[in-house]
Amino acid sequence: MTATTASDTHASPPQADVPSEAYEFLQLLHRETGQTGFSHRWRNVRAEIAATGTWRHTVQELTYGARVAWRNAARCIGRLRWQSLQVYDCRHATDVNAARRALTAHLHGATNGGRVRSIITVLPPAPAAGPAPVRVLNPQLVQYAAWPSDGAILGDPAHLNLTRMATALGWAGPPERGPFDVLPWIIATDDGQLHALPVDQADVREVPIHHPQHRWIDELGLRWPAVPVISHMLLSIGGVQYPAPFNGFFMASEIAARNLADADRYDQLPAVINGLQLHEDDRLRQDKALLVLQEAVLYSYSRAGVTITDHHRESEHFARFVRREEAAGRVVVGDWTWLNSYPMTPQDPSWRRYYSTSPLRPALRPDPAAAALPNGTGSLCPHAGSTAVAAEPDHQRADPSTAAVVCPLST
């Protein structure tokens, strides 16, 4: 696709105090892993920072840092298996074609025939001054276009501006436009160019939505991606910032109660209420319709052999994570409003307490290049997980498109 310039998408990440963050990270790694040789390693890293303004992590340091960043993700409910995160070291992918290969490999590795694996792909870091060689501006690797049509939107209204950006870069979309056209990847390079990379449909697994009892749901023609790959965050380890797409797997309520149900997304509740023949005097008709949509999503993913989870299970898993962390003497950070998004209830264990909101490092943080987009979705839970930063003081409600994604959850 044709490249174009867009200076507002090439903001550099906030400058870190590299020496102090590097020292802090190396201390953490050596203390928690029991690895020896801290003084020697710190002496070499300090000299490298003095000479270049930054430093290069070993594979072990990169892997450890990425996993701890997930552990520190205040908005992610899926942190129980943080140690199982697979790290794809793609620091060599310094151009658009190499980035395309890395992102495609991530999709294949994460989908894994339906047995979804939690993966983070670490792209080349930002240098001491300036942006990283390649960055992904899409909030997720698999998202659907929004096509204006007769005063309405065909597709996902949340991605109207991203669709406009893609078409301005030369992407025409499929010959016959529909509600589930996968958007190209918008890649920013450090020469000030934007590139639209069409996604091969063969690389994307989707799940058609059915219901075991309500066969009429088939007629709605709904489907959703198998894997949520959050792609517009920066992984910060020891003062070094990496663009780093990552994934967990879906929680049913993210798809059913938000993506398909929200009025400013696919707005399917009226159709489900109509299919269930619920009367307008029924004050719980929306709740009943949401339950049926969640049943459909859970059934469809399970039938297709694709990993899916539910909010009750994840609340229990998070409670177990909290117990393990506190037993290890570590502070658990958490944004309550993200950890207990609808349809969590007071009966779920994650509901019953609050957590520290102090930011921890390593971390996943919003990429200012993606935040500059007109329809930027803000910071996801971590790996966002909802993706990935410490909770803000105002505890804003999770973004509709990311509130319940299980970030990088593992198998």
Side-chain angles (χ1 to χ4, degrees):
M1 285 291 172
T2 303
T4 190
T5 58
S7 58
D8 61 340
T9 63
H10 290 78
S12 299
Q15 291 299 308
D17 181 353
V18 180
S20 64
E21 290 194 26
Y23 183 81
E24 174 190 279
F25 169 69
L26 288 173
Q27 276 197 320
L28 181 69
L29 183 151
H30 284 260
R31 181 175 69 250
E32 290 196 355
T33 65
Q35 179 178 326
T36 59
F38 168 79
S39 297
H40 177 73
R41 178 58 176 151
W42 168 236
R43 193 160 49 246
N44 290 338
V45 168
R46 183 173 54 190
E48 186 178 357
I49 294 171
T52 68
T54 187
W55 61 296
R56 182 175 176 83
H57 296 108
T58 66
V59 172
Q60 181 198 21
E61 290 164 352
L62 189 72
T63 300
Y64 173 80
R67 289 173 175 171
V68 174
W70 177 11
R71 188 179 81 192
N72 291 341
R75 292 177 168 180
C76 180
I77 196 172
R79 290 177 264 167
L80 175 63
R81 301 178 184 88
W82 61 273
Q83 292 170 303
S84 69
L85 179 66
Q86 296 187 30
V87 179
Y88 285 6
D89 183 357
C90 292
R91 289 177 286 179
H92 60 278
T94 56
D95 59 49
V96 170
N97 289 328
R100 184 204 293 267
R101 291 191 293 271
L103 298 178
T104 301
H106 187 130
L107 280 180
H108 284 278
T111 304
N112 189 34
R115 294 177 58 85
V116 177
R117 295 182 293 192
S118 295
I119 293 172
I120 186 166
T121 292
V122 182
L123 297 171
V134 291
R135 290 183 288 181
V136 184
L137 301 188
N138 308 59
Q140 295 188 31
L141 289 188
V142 183
Q143 292 182 302
Y144 297 120
W147 306 111
S149 176
D150 298 326
I153 297 293
L154 176 65
D156 193 338
H159 306 137
L160 180 60
N161 287 337
L162 195 63
T163 304
R164 288 171 175 162
M165 177 180 289
T167 56
L169 290 168
W171 181 67
E176 294 187 14
R177 294 174 175 178
F180 298 100
D181 298 333
V182 177
L183 283 163
W185 296 326
I186 309 297
I187 305 296
T189 49
D190 57 2
D191 58 359
Q193 303 292 311
L194 295 180
H195 310 260
L197 308 182
V199 180
D200 190 335
Q201 192 66 41
D203 295 323
V204 178
R205 181 162 182 178
E206 297 171 289
V207 178
I209 305 301
H210 309 285
H211 193 283
Q213 284 82 45
H214 303 297
R215 303 298 182 183
W216 48 265
I217 283 186
D218 294 7
E219 300 171 7
L220 300 179
L222 304 177
R223 64 177 185 262
W224 208 253
V227 183
V229 184
I230 307 301
S231 50
H232 69 333
M233 303 293 289
L234 293 176
L235 171 64
S236 178
I237 305 174
V240 182
Q241 316 281 338
Y242 299 93
F246 63 89
N247 74 279
F249 46 78
F250 274 116
M251 194 152 68
S253 55
E254 160 66 6
I255 301 169
R258 307 307 306 270
N259 301 332
L260 296 179
D262 279 355
D264 58 354
R265 299 296 299 288
Y266 279 87
D267 195 23
Q268 292 298 304
L269 275 191
V272 177
I273 289 171
N274 182 64
L276 293 171
Q277 300 181 1
L278 299 175
H279 195 273
E280 62 180 9
D281 290 339
D282 185 345
R283 290 186 287 182
L284 296 179
R285 62 187 182 279
Q286 290 186 321
D287 302 85
K288 295 174 182 177
L290 283 170
L291 178 59
V292 167
L293 266 180
Q294 289 196 75
E295 289 174 342
V297 168
L298 284 167
Y299 170 78
S300 300
Y301 276 66
S302 296
R303 189 176 78 163
V306 175
T307 306
I308 190 78
T309 189
D310 62 81
H311 51 288
H312 297 308
R313 178 177 299 177
E314 293 317 309
S315 186
E316 291 286 349
H317 284 179
F318 187 73
R320 194 183 312 166
F321 165 76
V322 170
R323 290 194 295 270
R324 288 183 181 180
E325 289 301 294
E326 291 180 339
R330 292 191 287 261
V331 173
V332 177
V333 294
D335 185 332
W336 191 94
T337 62
W338 282 67
L339 299 173
N340 294 286
S341 57
Y342 182 87
M344 292 289 189
T345 70
Q347 283 67 50
D348 291 302
S350 58
W351 186 286
R352 302 170 192 168
R353 57 167 291 178
Y354 287 90
Y355 311 92
S356 170
T357 57
S358 300
L360 298 178
R361 295 189 293 247
L364 282 127
R365 297 169 174 161
D367 184 343
L373 293 176
N375 63 335
T377 58
S379 56
L380 303 180
C381 158
H383 269 152
S386 296
T387 194
V389 293
E392 284 81 3
D394 58 3
H395 291 276
Q396 291 181 348
R397 178 69 166 85
D399 183 274
S401 67
T402 59
V405 172
V406 177
C407 347
L409 201 52
S410 56
T411 52

